[in-house]
């Protein structure tokens, strides 16, 4: 169960997939940048008990919701973190940055939803903060639109290595529109582009019912890890 607002931004598929992709182990620490109500960090904590979970959220309303949901949260802009958080490092940093460049799209009328979906902090800044808060050999995971992959990669390459990209296609025969990017602090492995995973069975949505593939359904309903 997760407390979320009645109107505005509510967690969907993305934070659950993001949480499922993190190879965390009990006793490790995780920082969720832009955590919202805490969906990604708390999904990860449900799958891997014994994690030290912390979130950063700039909107006080969502930060309060995340605390109500049981997450330790710092209410701050990620580009102006308070010193106590700057002095900490984490084994994993996860982030689901806003998807949409508002110079080419319409803003949402809901303040909370717009804060979650409308980009006003550069992707490079998200990457830089994630890299600074990671321990050596720690992992960063980002989920974003495939269209923004070049921007993310240009920010990641100078500060993180061992980059892997896992694309997601909605259905067979469709181009991927979503991806998870994994990178490691101090990593030296070659770049890897994984084969796209399918979210849904069938070429089209035929009725009002779930059509997730068995792998994705296991992630969403049973808390399974997303292997890649």
């Amino acid at each position: 169960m997760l407390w979320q607002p009645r109107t505005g931004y509510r967690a969907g598929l993305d934070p659950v997939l993001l949480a499922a992709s993190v190879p965390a182990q009990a006793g490790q620490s995780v920082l969720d940048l832009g955590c919202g109500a805490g969906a990604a960090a708390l999904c990860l904590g449900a799958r891997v008990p014994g994690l030290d979970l912390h979130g950063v959220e700039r909107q006080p309303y969502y930060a309060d919701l995340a605390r109500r949901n049981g997450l330790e949260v710092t209410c701050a802009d990620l580009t102006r973190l308070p010193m106590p958080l700057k002095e900490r490092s984490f084994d994993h940093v996860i982030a689901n940055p806003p998807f949409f460049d508002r110079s080419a799209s319409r803003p949402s009328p809901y303040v909370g939803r717009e804060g979650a979906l409308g980009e006003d902090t550069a992707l490079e800044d998200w990457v830089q903060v994630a890299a600074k808060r990671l321990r050596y050999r720690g992992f960063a995971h980002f989920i974003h639109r495939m269209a923004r992959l070049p921007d993310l990669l240009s920010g990641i390459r100078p500060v993180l290595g061992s980059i892997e990209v896992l694309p997601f296609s909605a259905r067979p025969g469709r181009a991927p529109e979503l991806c998870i990017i994994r990178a490691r602090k101090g990593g030296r492995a070659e770049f890897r582009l994984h084969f796209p995973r399918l979210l849904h069975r069938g070429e089209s949505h035929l009725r009002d019912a779930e059509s997730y593939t068995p792998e994705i359904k296991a992630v969403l309903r049973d808390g399974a890890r997303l292997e890649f």
Side-chain angles (χ1 to χ4, degrees):
M1 301 294 290
L2 187 77
W3 289 101
Q4 300 195 82
R6 291 182 182 274
T7 59
Y9 176 78
R10 291 188 293 273
L13 187 71
D14 303 345
V16 187
L17 291 177
L18 177 64
S21 71
V22 181
Q25 299 178 7
Q28 292 186 326
S29 56
V30 181
L31 177 64
D32 185 356
L33 296 176
C35 66
L42 294 170
C43 281
L44 179 53
R47 178 170 64 84
V48 185
L51 294 175
D52 176 14
L53 301 171
H54 194 94
V56 173
E57 173 54 48
R58 68 178 182 178
Q59 299 186 80
Y61 175 66
Y62 282 91
D64 288 342
L65 276 177
R67 294 188 188 102
R68 187 176 183 182
N69 286 322
L71 184 64
E72 180 185 352
V73 180
T74 297
C75 187
D77 190 294
L78 65 90
T79 62
R80 295 188 293 274
L81 296 179
M83 189 54 64
L85 191 54
K86 285 185 176 182
E87 293 174 345
R88 295 182 62 180
S89 58
F90 297 83
D91 297 295
H92 303 274
V93 176
I94 60 176
N96 181 9
F99 277 7
F100 301 105
D101 179 355
R102 288 312 189 202
S103 66
S105 59
R106 287 187 175 184
S108 168
Y110 298 105
V111 174
R113 184 173 178 82
E114 178 58 21
L117 297 178
E119 180 185 315
D120 59 10
T121 300
L123 285 178
E124 182 179 358
D125 291 335
W126 287 79
V127 172
Q128 290 286 340
V129 172
K132 288 178 180 178
R133 299 279 60 80
L134 274 177
R135 291 194 175 112
Y136 181 69
R137 306 297 288 173
F139 288 99
H141 288 76
F142 305 90
I143 189 165
H144 217 292
R145 298 166 57 226
M146 280 293 295
R148 301 301 304 279
L149 180 58
D151 300 318
L152 269 168
L153 291 178
S154 66
I156 290 172
R157 287 186 183 279
V159 292
L160 299 170
S162 300
I163 302 168
E164 300 181 60
V165 176
L166 177 61
F168 294 91
S169 296
R171 295 185 181 277
R174 296 191 186 181
E177 295 184 356
L178 187 71
C179 65
I180 291 176
I181 302 95
R182 172 188 289 163
R184 194 170 197 179
K185 192 165 187 174
R188 296 185 177 183
E190 292 184 344
F191 173 81
R192 293 187 65 189
L193 176 61
H194 293 266
F195 195 80
R197 301 289 176 83
L198 294 176
L199 296 177
H200 300 278
R201 295 176 282 108
E203 296 182 357
S204 61
H205 190 70
L206 300 178
R207 59 193 179 94
D208 187 16
E210 286 188 359
S211 60
Y212 294 116
T213 62
E215 179 186 26
I216 300 303
K217 185 176 181 179
V219 168
L220 298 178
R221 300 303 181 200
D222 304 323
R225 177 177 170 180
L226 185 64
E227 301 287 347
F228 85 97

